[in-house]
Each structure stands twice: as C-alpha cells, then as structure tokens.
Amino acid sequence: MLCRVLPFTLVVLSTVSCAKNNKSDSLPSTSFALSASGDVVGKITVGYQGWFSAAGDGSPLNSWGHTNMETWPDIRQYAQTYSGDPFYQDGVQQPGFTGKLGNGQPAKMYSADDQQVANVHCLWMQQNGIDCIALQRFGSYTSPGSIKNFHDSVDEKMMKAAQTYGRKFFIMYDCSATDPVESDWTNTIVAAQHITSSPAYAHQNGKPVVALWGVGKSGRGAVTDWENTINWFKNQGCYVIGGPLEGFAKDTPNQPAYNLCNMIMPWMVGKTAATNFEADYAADMAYCTAHGIDFQADVYPGTAFYNTNGGATSPKNQIPRNHGLFMWSQFAAVRAAGVPSVYISMFDEENEATGILNCAEDASSIPAGQYFLTLDADGVHCSSDFYLRLTKDGAAMVKGQTAYTTTLPTPPVLSAPSSLTPHVLSSSSIKIDWSAVTDAPCYNLKRSTASGGPYTTVAAGITGGTYTDNGLTAGTTYYYVVSAGYINGGESVNSAQVSGTTLP
C-alpha cells in the first residue's frame, strides 16, 4: 500500500499472557463463515508489493525503485543482488550506497523482477502456512510505459512461482474509483497475460477473485463511482474483495459501495497495541454477516516511517513489533472472534516496516553506520525468518489446528539440535541421529575431516532427525554438526560436534 504518515501516538505495549486465555473454553469450536472454504475464505492471504527494482537488473525499469526502506532485507537466499541503493535516511535520499553491512559483507538489494526471487518468496510462503497472495497492482500501473511493463513482468513471475509452489494468488488493485482498472483487467490481466487462466489463480465460490483497496477512502472517488467499479467486476463474474479503512461499518455515506462487495477486509495498519482487536474484528464481522458479506481480518507486525518521512513527523519504531507479541495478539484476537480468514499486511513491505519476509536481525546485517529498524529493536534477538515462523504458528491456530493461546509459541531463534549420535555402518557409511527442535522446519548436516571444521554441508533441508552419509573413505574419521532451519536464513548455530570413524 502507499506510504501513509501516522500521527505520533503514545503506544502502550500490551503484555501477552503466559498461559492460555481463561476464556478459551468458550471459544467457538469452528470459525464462522458465510461462504464455504475456498481459496480466500478460511485461508491465510498475504499482501505482496513486488515493487523493488535495481539499476542493472535488466527489467523494464532497470533503475532503483522504492528505495525508501525502513527495514533492510536479508538477501542471503537470493542468487542475484545489486549494489548502489540510494536509500533514504531520516526523510532524505542518500547517494547510492556501495559500502558494507555491519558484518563486513557487501550491502546489496534484490530486484522483484527476478524469477529466483519470486520462487524464494513463494517457497517461504509454502513453508510457513501462507495459502494465498494478494498481488498488488496500483492504479498508476495501468498507464502504458516502463512502470506498467515492470509490474506486468513481476506479475508473470509471481504467477509461475505460485504454480511451482502450490500457492494461490489474485490481483489486488490499490486504486481510485475512477482509475482505468476495468480496461487493465480486460486487456492486460485477462487477454494479454492470461493471468486468470492460471491454475494458481484464486477462486472463491467458483469465481475469480479480485480485490479493490481504497474503497471509501477520502480522495479515492465518489461512492457512486465505487459502486460502478464494483458492479463492473461482479458483472465479469468476479468475487470482489473490498478494502476500506477500519471503521467502515460506521461510514454510512459509503456503505452502498461496501455492501456490494463479496468480502470486506478493513485496513488495520496504524492501530496500536492499545486497540481491542478482538472487539473490532467481532464488530466488523457482525456487520458483514448481517449484510451477507464474507469478512477477512487484517493482521500486521508493526510499522514505522522514519526513513521515509523523517523524525519530525515519524519517530523511529513508531508502532513497535514488540518482538512478535503485537502480531500474536492480533492472531489470538482473530481466533477468539471466530474469524476464518486472515489478510497479512504485508509480505515484502520494507518501506513501512510491515514486511514479514526475512529481514535484518541487528546492526550486523544493515548498512554500516546507517539506521534501519532491525528485529532486535525491542530488546529480543529474533532470527531473520522469525515473522514467517510466527505466521505459520498463527495460521495453525486460526485454522483450529493448534489450541487457542495468548502466549506467543514461536521461539525468537531456533535452537541447535542436541543429542547427536553417530552410528558407523560400514567402511563408507555413517548414520547421524539427533533430537528434534521445536518449530524447526528442517535440518542441515555438515561434515569435516578436521575437528572443529571448517564444515561442508552434506545435506540441507532434512525434514527428519536422521541422515545416512554415504560414499565415505574407509578408515577415516569424520566430524559432524547439525543446524536447524534454512541455510542462509533463519538457521540456528551449529550443534555440538560428534565424530565417527568408518570401518577399514
């Protein structure tokens, strides 16, 4: 979404209970939905901007775009990255930065117009319980030119990645009521790119999904214009999601437009920890139910705009993440209110610090001597993939796959596996067993012929607690360690070393 200036608000950080909420026994056994579960109802959807470009990326823009970043991405899993980002600091654009991160590694940025980047992002979604992608398309993207061409290209790459990793996606227009989104849908999305023909394109109630964000927002058009736009998409056979601001249920002048939507997702970004999210979700869902509309709750990790707007209007860490407690309180409120569908704001929104993708943990992984909001800002060190893992746990709770709790279950960092046990099988094979780590998605086995390493990764992404290392040399001692998580992103430290000597 477009960057918005938030007024400075005294934020009261909520504390999350260390035990299950005492009203858990009274929670609905299942979430309530008007429509049957589909690609968006009963699912976890994430907003995806896909708007970062870089000089030298070969894209239709081939220049730096959206460099007003509040957080810095962890780029270790991207095959191609670019140096020279002219990022902003305290509201002022800086010269292209070609220096290093705090850890001495080159400071680089990725481009969204890269199939490998799209693949990595959809893989992360697959691994962390995200079912569907709301692919952002702004009203300004509808005019012919390099900006439109860039986003057309990104859309195609995300479509391919969604197909590869079994995710669903749909087009979400962030627009005014009078932007030519109808012609963009007809001529580009449907006719030229065949986006809606993809097997990964989201359908609900048998209809292709389209979202319109900005419905009823001041400056985005008259209510009659919104009615015309919504009705046009419905006449194309679409299931229309409307994205108004929070408080829409009391916005009487725009209700004729809201009431035409098949689903409503009210925008919650900007709400603080003092908000009663459960009451807000419940009231909004009650309105939607009374009007025969599906409801999707908006959840976000926190936000800040210091680098974009400057400290005079946007302080650092404006609405704190509180190392996951803020976002978890929203997931708990969704479950307590019985809401079946969640929209997460956002996946890759580095500019407003709402992104849940892998980003910088601490000063060692941001440009040296510069300010970016890091994951340890609230006093707890979190791994770069922490908010993806938190989303996975939140998704499971919302879907009723795990018990309701106000206690954040996601460990800030993954622990190293313990109890490694080597079993020499032959002159060429050694099997290593280890104990499981809570919340670990996978493990990596590393080997050396010297005690203490350096180690070579033998196998990455192991999903069990055992691995047989074959093809070894007879009569040789091998030293092993195991880590939890994904190599170059959310990986734990190495375990204690164990060794085994193959038979002669």
Side-chain angles (χ1 to χ4, degrees), residues 432 434 440-446 457-468 481-486:
I432 307 294
W434 58 88
C442 62
Y443 304 93
N444 313 296
L445 180 71
K446 305 173 186 181
T457 301
V458 175
I462 304 167
T463 55
T466 186
Y467 187 84
T468 299
V481 293
V482 178
S483 63
Y486 302 103

Side-chain angles (χ1 to χ4, degrees), residues 10-324:
L10 178 60
V11 176
V12 180
L13 292 178
S14 63
T15 55
V16 176
S17 168
C18 294
K20 291 183 179 178
N21 189 294
N22 58 15
K23 65 178 179 179
S24 60
D25 291 341
S26 65
L27 288 175
S29 57
T30 58
S31 297
F32 176 76
L34 290 175
S35 297
S37 181
D39 290 342
V40 290
V41 172
K43 297 298 192 295
I44 307 298
T45 299
V46 69
Y48 189 88
Q49 302 286 26
W51 59 14
F52 297 106
S53 60
D57 64 5
S59 72
L61 287 173
N62 201 35
S63 60
W64 291 105
H66 285 276
T67 61
N68 57 317
M69 293 183 292
E70 193 73 14
T71 57
W72 188 264
D74 178 349
I75 51 85
R76 290 176 294 173
Q77 292 194 44
Y78 305 132
Q80 180 65 56
T81 52
Y82 305 88
S83 179
D85 194 336
F87 53 70
Y88 283 67
Q89 294 279 278
D90 195 8
V92 179
Q93 187 178 42
Q94 306 300 307
F97 189 83
T98 56
K100 297 183 182 299
L101 302 177
N103 59 18
Q105 296 297 311
K108 292 188 174 184
M109 180 58 188
Y110 72 87
S111 169
D113 189 28
D114 184 326
Q115 190 63 60
Q116 192 264 346
V117 168
N119 289 349
V120 167
H121 288 171
C122 284
L123 172 62
W124 288 346
M125 295 177 198
Q126 181 192 64
Q127 292 165 337
N128 292 285
I130 298 168
D131 305 298
C132 191
I133 307 157
L135 197 53
Q136 310 292 294
R137 197 168 172 89
F138 284 71
S140 59
Y141 299 172
T142 60
S143 300
S146 58
I147 293 177
K148 179 181 184 298
N149 294 341
F150 175 85
H151 291 284
D152 288 352
S153 179
V154 171
D155 288 355
E156 289 183 341
K157 290 177 173 62
M158 285 300 296
M159 175 177 66
K160 293 176 182 177
Q163 291 170 178
T164 299
Y165 294 98
R167 302 303 89 191
K168 296 292 185 177
F169 76 99
F170 60 85
I171 296 297
M172 184 177 206
Y173 287 106
D174 188 332
C175 61
S176 295
T178 54
D179 284 335
V181 293
E182 298 94 336
S183 60
D184 183 73
W185 177 265
T186 299
N187 299 328
T188 300
I189 300 302
V190 175
Q193 294 188 296
H194 310 293
I195 296 286
T196 56
S197 297
S198 167
Y201 198 85
H203 284 68
Q204 183 62 49
N205 302 346
K207 301 177 180 181
V209 176
V210 66
L212 303 169
W213 193 90
V215 180
K217 189 177 186 297
S218 177
R220 294 287 186 107
V223 63
T224 52
D225 292 325
W226 278 116
E227 290 179 88
N228 291 336
T229 300
I230 294 167
N231 276 326
W232 185 90
F233 277 100
K234 291 178 74 173
N235 289 336
Q236 306 307 303
C238 294
Y239 177 96
V240 178
I241 302 175
L245 298 178
E246 199 278 330
F248 77 97
K250 297 178 181 179
D251 180 15
T252 304
N254 286 299
Q255 284 178 355
Y258 302 146
N259 295 344
L260 288 173
C261 297
N262 300 109
M263 172 180 271
I264 288 179
M265 183 280 289
W267 188 246
M268 298 296 282
V269 175
K271 293 291 183 179
T272 73
T275 302
N276 187 332
F277 283 97
E278 181 183 341
D280 283 358
Y281 293 146
D284 287 346
M285 187 167 68
Y287 176 94
C288 289
T289 300
H291 291 83
I293 305 167
D294 292 320
F295 175 68
Q296 187 179 54
D298 186 31
V299 168
Y300 82 107
T303 191
F305 304 85
Y306 172 82
N307 276 348
T308 296
N309 298 329
T313 55
S314 298
K316 296 177 179 178
N317 201 15
Q318 188 165 359
I319 298 181
R321 295 184 177 213
N322 201 14
H323 46 84

